[in-house]
Amino acid sequence: MTIATIDKAPAVVSTELARGRGGGGPASKRIVVAYGFWLFILSDMVMFSALFAAFAVLRGNTAGGPTGAELFNLRNVFIETMCLLLSSYTCGLGALSAERRRPALFVMFAVFTFVLGAAFLFIEATEFAGMVEKGAGPSRSGFLSAYFTLVGTHGIHVASGLIALVYLVAQVIAKGLPAAVLRRLLCWSLFWHALDIVWVGVFTLVYLMGG
Amino acid sequence: MTDSHEHMFDDRTPGVEEHEPTASYLSYTAGLGLAILLTIASFIVSQTNLLWAPGIPVGLVVLAFAQIGVHLVFFLHLGSGPDSTNNILALAFGVLIVFLVIAGSVWIIANLNSNVMPMSMP
């Protein structure tokens, strides 16, 4: 009975039908792939939430050592934030160029994204090195352990994102923009935007509330 | 068997092949503008007396949530469309877990701190 009903269904289904709600046939590959990657990103967010919780709990435990207000340079944090925000923007423009099958434009935006992400990492690494030099390394206090773990994990994510970007650009140069490469690129841009969201939490909780 | 390697790889990915309408440059530019405004607002609120001092953390949290919303809608293209339904449900679950982990930890540890005896009595 059910099978017969399906067989009699019109061959052309209106695209207005809500696929995500079970009608209208299978979703397109890029929707399915992006959904799987979105689940990965959410699990990454759950991991970050544990680090945020640890920082929120330990932020007052300075053990007589330096506090955030003494250590943080908000001007640098603002520059870092702008670097990451602009790199998110150029990453989005790069993804759009790739979708419109303009590989040269994509590579240009990818270079911008890489430079801005690398600038972010450079400022962060310089700050970390300066803090360790002042004797405010991760082993100084519970506050600093939580700080270096949270901000450092975000930094490692940015660094691995940059490595993945180099790999993607190499793929685009070698293979052009077939559907599979385009989907990888889409997933990468989801990852990069998600890192920016984590950074919003970092600069709000760590730097602005503690600085 | 005449398919190229690339095509065979494609076939294993679930879903149908289809050209999708893409987001626009305008969406990213609007998102960037809003995000920069909210970031600057956050820094101003934290560094000045524009807000009543005890209200500053609340103001910062509100601004952060607003900026996260801007990122989700304009950069990650999470909308009210049918293609976003599953992503939004997954996001809702993720937000629940994140909230439980952070708020639960802070709550429990604050409770423990207030119940613990002072370490050294003068």
Side-chain angles (χ1 to χ4, degrees), chain B residues 22-33:
Chain B
T22 60
S24 68
Y25 289 96
L26 185 66
S27 156
Y28 281 105
T29 310
L32 178 74

Side-chain angles (χ1 to χ4, degrees), chain A residues 26-30 32-33 178-181 183-184, chain B residues 1-18:
Chain A
S28 69
K29 287 184 181 185
R30 52 171 279 168
V32 175
V33 169
V181 173
R183 284 197 298 269
R184 276 168 219 154
Chain B
M1 294 309 278
T2 54
D3 286 345
S4 69
H5 177 73
E6 182 66 40
H7 192 242
M8 285 180 72
F9 176 81
D10 267 4
D11 281 348
R12 284 197 246 156
T13 310
V16 292
E17 199 62 74
E18 168 180 304

Side-chain angles (χ1 to χ4, degrees), chain B:
Chain B
M1 294 309 278
T2 54
D3 286 345
S4 69
H5 177 73
E6 182 66 40
H7 192 242
M8 285 180 72
F9 176 81
D10 267 4
D11 281 348
R12 284 197 246 156
T13 310
V16 292
E17 199 62 74
E18 168 180 304
H19 187 75
E20 300 276 332
T22 60
S24 68
Y25 289 96
L26 185 66
S27 156
Y28 281 105
T29 310
L32 178 74
L34 285 171
I36 286 180
L37 279 181
L38 288 164
T39 302
I40 291 175
S42 288
F43 276 80
I44 289 176
V45 160
S46 76
Q47 297 305 300
T48 63
N49 290 324
L50 206 62
L51 284 190
W52 179 55
I56 286 177
V58 181
L60 288 174
V61 168
V62 170
L63 286 167
F65 275 118
Q67 189 167 350
I68 288 171
V70 165
H71 282 249
L72 287 175
V73 171
F74 291 97
F75 290 165
L76 288 158
H77 309 303
L78 224 55
S80 54
D83 286 340
S84 290
T85 311
N86 289 324
N87 299 39
I88 291 208
L89 277 176
L91 175 67
F93 180 68
V95 168
L96 173 71
I97 302 297
V98 168
F99 173 78
L100 285 179
V101 169
I102 296 181
S105 303
V106 170
W107 186 16
I108 289 169
I109 300 294
N111 211 336
L112 285 175
N113 276 345
S114 67
N115 285 335
V116 90
M117 295 275 284
M119 289 270 274
S120 56
M121 301 296 265

Side-chain angles (χ1 to χ4, degrees), chain A residues 75-113:
Chain A
R75 201 177 59 93
N76 278 355
V77 176
F78 186 75
I79 297 171
E80 280 180 286
T81 308
M82 284 302 144
C83 282
L84 216 52
L85 204 52
L86 286 172
S87 82
S88 236
Y89 180 62
T90 55
C91 153
L93 297 189
L96 285 188
S97 319
E99 278 176 351
R100 285 160 201 198
R101 314 280 163 173
R102 288 152 93 178
L105 206 56
F106 161 75
V107 171
M108 188 192 81
F109 280 125
V111 168
F112 283 146
T113 310

Side-chain angles (χ1 to χ4, degrees), chain A residues 43-96:
Chain A
S43 66
D44 215 26
M45 294 286 171
V46 169
M47 186 206 69
F48 268 110
S49 78
L51 301 180
F52 272 110
F55 181 84
V57 163
L58 292 171
R59 54 193 291 197
N61 301 7
T62 53
T67 62
E70 294 160 26
L71 290 171
F72 300 150
N73 178 347
L74 285 187
R75 201 177 59 93
N76 278 355
V77 176
F78 186 75
I79 297 171
E80 280 180 286
T81 308
M82 284 302 144
C83 282
L84 216 52
L85 204 52
L86 286 172
S87 82
S88 236
Y89 180 62
T90 55
C91 153
L93 297 189
L96 285 188

